[in-house]
Amino acid sequence: MNHLLGVKELSAQKIRAILKEAFYFKNLVQKKDPSLQTLLANHVVANVFFEPSTRTRVSFEIAAKKLGASVINVLQESSSIVKGETIFDTLLNLEAMGVDLFIMRHSEAGMPHYLSRYLKTPIINAGDGAHEHPTQALLDLMTIVEYHKNLKGLKVVILGDILHSRVARSNIFCLTKLGVKITLCSLPTLIPKGFSDLDLSISYDLKSAIADADVIMVLRLQKERHEQNDIPSMKEYVKYFQLNETLSFPKKALIMHPGPVNRNVEMSDKLYNHSQSVVLSQVRNGLPMRMALISIFLRNEFLAR
Amino acid sequence: MKTLIKNIHILNPHQKPFLGSLLIENDKIKKIFKGDSRRSLYSAKAGYWNGKDFDKVIEGKGLHCFPGFIDLHCHLREPGFEDCETIESGSRAAAAGGFTTICCMPNTNPVNDHPQVTRLLQQKIKNSSVIKVFPIGAISEGLEGKRLAQIGLCVDEGIIAISDDGKCISSTSFMAKALAYSRQFDIPVVVHAEDPSLVYEYGIHTGRRASLLGLKGSPALAEEVIVARDIVLAERLKARLHIAHVTSWQSVEYIKHAKERGVKVTAEVCPHHLLLTEKATEDFNTLAKVAPPLRSEKHRAALRHALKTDVIDCIATDHAPWSEKYKDLPFVEAACGIAGFETAFSLSYELVQEGVLSLPKLISKLTVEPAKIFGLPKPEIKENSAADLVLVNLEQKYKIDTKNFLSKSKNTPFEGKSVKGKVKYTFCNGQLVYSDQ
């Protein structure tokens, strides 16, 4: 692997190997293994974020620091769009200064793909537009397998603003490769054109979609969607698509959310704190998953046997 | 200046090809000798036999001779974007593609919306073009779709049609005024149909591929609503409407029904839309980023059928050269367009090989049909007509290699593709303007 641009490029075998590596790191962290702190000493990881993000960036930062790497943050989260040419120059300079790994986020789909053609330093995509967010999908997978050992035939419902969601796309790529049955549930204006041709189901009815779900993945609904006429109002969206305690779903179903959650919009507060909610497990698993990925790129090897 | 071209298969559109030789004197076809050159030239005049009387003799064995191709739609980028193309480089690239007449769009800098710009262009064309170039004027000032350009004064300077190509006129009332006004000069109004209010990102089709890349793209619907609207307007206002680069099967249906009702509507299609689908945009390939975009197989099949059944009148390149500065960028930031002159014939010839079009039909789509739309003289290989000719080796296979492009820009998604049918010589006004050596 030269870069991690998306899950689309990963084989099922590669995904399983990454997963194994992440559990290996999770185990070491739990054991407080002292070797972790020096594993990546003398390496420099750069977080280059051109879009506001706290959780993902901090998660990467802690992951790198736990492995002894130095972390620098290059944050240009201004409202003005930073164009590809300028970023290219910035990254070339950082590369010349000895950065060993870029963690990159940008609002434009395809930005890390463009840069990867010219940089020798590996890039981990931490989200590009509505395209991919591979580390989120991988940590979601890690969370799912902690509860459901057998992925084949598992029914995962992805609920909400699929059109604008990179998390949804990466999860679709990831889970499809592992034999999971996916149902996209949303209103017609928030389902991307042409997704009906994919190997998945589409439902416009929340009740029936979640009735036999093993996993319900709720996506964040941004407030701008109302201004863009994708939905008439939040109130109306909440009435038809909010996941809440009045709905019935299987007792074993996991409730997931990539965060940050809009409380009482896409999901009710009660469900967020529900016994079946694994939202904080997702956040916890983000750490070993990102440690594993940083280690894979900087050491160029898998440690798990 | 006398040039003799021997033993070529001469093909006029709508006629049967025949073996013969051509004598070009100055800018005209002086004489056509039918049959094998040994016999026909000998019987015509003893001196013709040994070639003494000629400045140049081309042995054309195995070559087909067609009237020079005509392109209604190209971008020569001069003035304003000379790093991508100039009138000279563009005209040489066109000649290499077998074109002897091309019509250039007004989206230069400055825009060709003023008679002084047209005059400047005409001077540059006269000084540096190797083939015939007709400028197309803007419909609106600065292509802004708000105020009419000085269309009449530009017509006086020689514009052949009007268009805001690259931009779509959103205002229905403005389009109605432009169509009504165009009637005074009886010139075609060329539309780039892509309703901006329906477009999220130009250059990629709203469909599965774009959706998987996290892009919303430009839907076929954006073209269809404008095609339908402009047909309604042209019908009511009795104007001449030419739909540039049709890409959607539904647009084809609207055009077909309009033609059946007698609306003065014509349409063109580009080789890349006949050959490629949205699949080419995979992995954010900016070389396949073009507006209107490459669409799905259903659309592509409909375009081929429409060309065959004459719902679409002609083939146009939409030659849109961009240097790396504009193309080697992240997908969303890269410019839309494909450099098309030098691949147009070989790509279109695939339709003949696949049995979609007959060879004479393909040639008419590249010659007489575009000429009719813009009111150009009928391209024909006959005695005393202008010697605008292209000689092609239909059997020659080669790989498209942008290193050989005469265009300043190399932006094509067809690099490395194996094709058949190579342009060998192009004559414009009797001058040899391209030879494949």
Side-chain angles (χ1 to χ4, degrees):
Chain A
M1 278 203 298
N2 296 325
H3 305 276
L4 178 63
L5 302 178
V7 184
K8 189 161 59 181
E9 292 86 25
L10 299 178
S11 64
Q13 197 190 357
K14 196 52 143 273
I15 292 170
R16 285 194 198 99
I18 293 171
L19 199 61
K20 194 173 168 192
E21 189 81 349
F23 280 116
Y24 171 81
F25 273 93
K26 186 168 183 171
N27 187 32
L28 290 187
V29 172
Q30 277 167 354
K31 285 197 306 197
K32 297 205 164 80
D33 191 309
S35 72
L36 282 178
Q37 285 166 26
T38 52
L39 195 69
L40 299 179
N42 302 322
H43 284 87
V44 183
V45 175
N47 270 326
V48 278
F49 276 60
F50 299 92
E51 197 185 64
S53 156
T54 309
R55 300 147 40 99
T56 304
R57 183 177 59 75
V58 168
S59 174
F60 269 110
E61 184 162 348
I62 294 175
K65 284 183 168 162
K66 274 191 184 280
L67 297 173
S70 319
V71 178
I72 55 158
N73 284 295
V74 181
L75 313 175
Q76 294 191 359
E77 300 167 357
S78 62
S79 56
S80 66
I81 299 160
V82 188
K83 295 272 183 184
E85 265 182 300
T86 333
I87 295 180
F88 180 48
D89 277 341
T90 308
L91 296 205
L92 269 186
N93 277 279
L94 291 172
E95 190 172 62
M97 290 173 206
V99 166
D100 300 299
L101 175 67
F102 290 114
I103 314 291
M104 181 176 178
R105 172 170 287 190
H106 197 279
S107 57
E108 219 177 277
M111 182 64 85
H113 303 70
Y114 162 74
L115 294 164
S116 71
R117 280 187 263 147
Y118 299 101
L119 293 171
K120 291 188 201 83
T121 311
I123 299 174
I124 293 180
N125 182 4
D128 63 319
H131 181 219
E132 283 235 40
H133 190 355
T135 59
Q136 178 71 41
L138 291 167
L139 70 88
D140 287 346
L141 176 67
M142 196 175 168
T143 312
I144 294 171
V145 299
E146 283 181 326
Y147 295 88
H148 296 284
K149 286 281 169 284
N150 194 4
L151 291 173
K152 215 155 206 112
L154 201 72
K155 191 182 168 190
V156 174
V157 177
I158 304 179
L159 167 65
D161 186 3
I162 292 145
L163 181 64
H164 300 95
S165 175
R166 51 190 170 220
V167 175
R169 283 175 183 75
S170 286
N171 265 305
I172 291 169
F173 293 133
C174 184
L175 296 172
T176 310
K177 285 177 203 226
L178 300 173
V180 171
K181 283 188 348 203
I182 295 173
T183 301
L184 304 180
C185 180
S186 192
L187 50 162
T189 48
L190 292 177
I191 301 258
K193 194 99 191 290
F195 269 26
S196 50
D197 302 343
L198 300 177
D199 187 19
L200 45 73
S201 324
I202 290 174
S203 165
Y204 303 120
D205 178 49
L206 179 57
K207 269 186 202 147
S208 63
I210 59 170
D212 60 343
D214 297 308
V215 176
I216 306 167
M217 245 180 219
V218 189
L219 301 172
R220 180 180 164 83
L221 184 80
Q222 254 135 21
K223 301 214 164 53
E224 304 94 82
R225 301 303 164 233
H226 165 54
E227 285 136 46
Q228 291 162 352
N229 279 322
D230 288 324
I231 55 166
S233 72
M234 281 295 180
K235 202 173 163 191
E236 192 162 321
Y237 180 85
V238 165
K239 173 157 187 219
Y240 292 103
F241 289 99
Q242 185 190 66
L243 191 71
N244 57 42
E245 57 284 2
T246 67
L247 296 157
S248 60
F249 45 85
K251 285 270 174 288
K252 61 177 182 4
L254 302 181
I255 298 167
M256 301 177 76
H257 192 296
V261 70
N262 288 311
R263 284 178 181 250
N264 296 317
V265 179
E266 63 263 14
M267 148 184 225
S268 72
D269 236 356
K270 274 202 178 141
L271 274 202
Y272 188 83
N273 302 317
H274 195 270
S275 60
Q276 287 172 253
S277 160
V278 293
V279 176
L280 290 175
S281 298
Q282 290 172 268
V283 178
R284 259 177 239 121
N285 282 335
L287 214 59
M289 177 51 77
R290 289 177 175 125
M291 288 167 85
L293 288 166
I294 292 170
S295 160
I296 288 167
F297 280 103
L298 291 183
R299 295 179 55 91
N300 217 3
E301 61 176 346
F302 287 77
L303 300 176
R305 294 277 166 252
Chain B
M1 181 78 184
K2 285 184 184 177
T3 306
L4 180 71
I5 309 168
K6 295 198 296 184
N7 296 318
I8 43 178
H9 291 277
I10 298 169
L11 192 152
N12 273 311
H14 307 305
Q15 290 172 30
K16 273 194 179 165
F18 61 92
L19 182 73
S21 301
L22 287 180
L23 171 61
I24 300 170
E25 200 171 308
N26 299 323
D27 60 339
K28 296 259 184 332
I29 298 169
K30 179 80 174 173
K31 191 129 187 71
I32 299 173
F33 307 95
K34 291 199 175 183
D36 182 83
S37 68
R38 288 171 188 252
R39 189 170 300 173
S40 63
L41 295 183
Y42 187 75
S43 60
K45 188 185 166 190
Y48 287 167
W49 166 233
N50 55 23
K52 263 189 231 156
D53 278 5
F54 311 106
D55 302 291
K56 190 176 178 66
V57 178
I58 291 173
E59 173 56 58
K61 205 165 178 206
L63 302 184
H64 277 72
C65 179
F66 313 121
F69 303 144
I70 295 173
D71 189 8
L72 299 186
H73 191 152
C74 71
H75 300 269
L76 296 180
R77 302 286 184 236
E78 188 178 357
F81 304 92
E82 287 86 350
D83 54 333
C84 298
E85 197 79 287
T86 60
I87 289 166
E88 188 189 348
S89 67
S91 75
R92 288 190 187 278
F99 294 92
T100 54
T101 298
I102 57 177
C103 306
C104 60
M105 284 295 177
N107 59 342
T108 45
N109 184 19
V111 169
N112 184 14
D113 59 0
H114 191 281
Q116 280 181 357
V117 180
T118 314
R119 200 177 307 155
L120 173 85
L121 269 173
Q122 297 286 32
Q123 267 167 19
K124 284 179 179 284
I125 289 164
K126 201 173 158 217
N127 294 339
S128 63
S129 175
V130 298
I131 58 165
K132 296 166 186 172
V133 180
F134 293 97
I136 296 169
I139 300 173
S140 70
E141 267 181 26
L143 308 177
E144 284 173 353
K146 289 180 186 144
R147 293 166 54 87
L148 285 175
Q150 305 198 46
I151 295 165
L153 296 178
C154 289
V155 168
D156 290 346
E157 296 293 337
I159 62 162
I160 194 169
I162 50 172
S163 179
D164 272 8
D165 184 59
K167 295 208 174 164
C168 178
I169 291 169
S170 340
S171 158
T172 309
S173 68
F174 182 80
M175 191 59 189
K177 291 225 166 101
L179 284 164
Y181 193 74
S182 74
R183 280 189 60 193
Q184 186 176 348
F185 308 100
D186 194 30
I187 47 170
V189 179
V190 183
V191 299
H192 177 132
E194 207 173 8
D195 184 343
S197 73
L198 290 168
V199 179
Y200 291 93
E201 291 107 3
Y202 282 97
I204 186 163
H205 173 60
T206 303
R208 182 161 57 101
R209 306 272 167 186
S211 293
L212 289 176
L213 294 175
L215 300 172
K216 294 186 195 168
S218 175
L221 184 65
E223 175 176 303
E224 291 149 10
V225 293
I226 298 295
V227 168
R229 179 197 75 176
D230 289 355
I231 283 171
V232 170
L233 294 173
E235 179 166 25
R236 181 60 63 93
L237 299 165
K238 298 182 173 59
R240 283 166 67 184
L241 179 70
H242 179 66
I243 315 284
H245 40 48
V246 176
T247 64
S248 133
W249 69 266
Q250 187 72 66
S251 304
V252 167
E253 290 299 305
Y254 292 141
I255 294 163
K256 182 173 166 228
H257 294 139
K259 283 187 165 182
E260 284 164 5
R261 287 199 307 278
V263 182
K264 286 187 278 185
V265 59
T266 50
E268 70 188 31
V269 64
C270 304
H272 46 267
H273 292 125
L274 292 167
L275 265 77
L276 297 178
T277 64
E278 55 181 332
K279 199 169 184 295
T281 53
E282 226 160 44
D283 300 326
F284 298 104
N285 180 9
T286 61
L287 293 174
K289 184 178 180 184
V290 61
L294 304 169
R295 301 198 191 276
S296 64
E297 184 51 41
K298 182 181 181 183
H299 291 292
R300 188 180 78 133
L303 297 177
R304 290 174 160 220
H305 184 72
L307 190 65
K308 180 182 177 167
T309 54
D310 299 323
V311 174
I312 293 177
D313 300 80
C314 71
I315 294 171
T317 66
D318 191 8
H319 175 73
W322 290 115
S323 65
E324 284 193 356
K325 184 177 128 191
Y326 296 91
K327 273 292 188 185
D328 192 7
L329 289 171
F331 192 86
V332 181
E333 295 166 31
C336 294
I338 291 172
F341 280 148
E342 291 165 84
T343 55
F345 179 77
S346 305
L347 295 177
S348 308
Y349 187 56
E350 290 212 345
L351 268 60
V352 174
Q353 295 169 72
E354 289 172 29
V356 179
L357 299 179
S358 67
L359 179 64
K361 186 135 200 169
L362 171 65
I363 299 308
S364 74
K365 300 284 182 192
L366 287 164
T367 56
V368 287
E369 296 304 329
K372 262 192 239 165
I373 296 169
F374 276 13
L376 296 163
K378 187 182 175 188
E380 203 175 357
I381 302 172
K382 62 169 191 195
E383 289 174 2
N384 293 319
S385 72
D388 292 352
L389 305 165
V390 52
L391 302 186
V392 178
N393 183 346
L394 291 177
E395 294 305 314
Q396 188 177 337
K397 288 179 188 163
Y398 71 103
K399 272 192 177 162
I400 291 171
D401 183 353
T402 51
K403 282 203 285 298
N404 300 330
F405 272 21
L406 298 183
S407 170
K408 276 191 160 187
S409 296
K410 321 289 176 195
N411 53 311
T412 174
F414 295 107
E415 172 81 3
K417 182 179 165 67
S418 294
V419 288
K420 213 171 145 188
K422 187 131 188 33
V423 173
K424 304 300 283 184
Y425 300 93
T426 307
F427 287 87
C428 183
N429 280 331
Q431 300 288 312
L432 182 64
V433 289
Y434 173 73
S435 76
D436 175 39
Q437 296 308 338

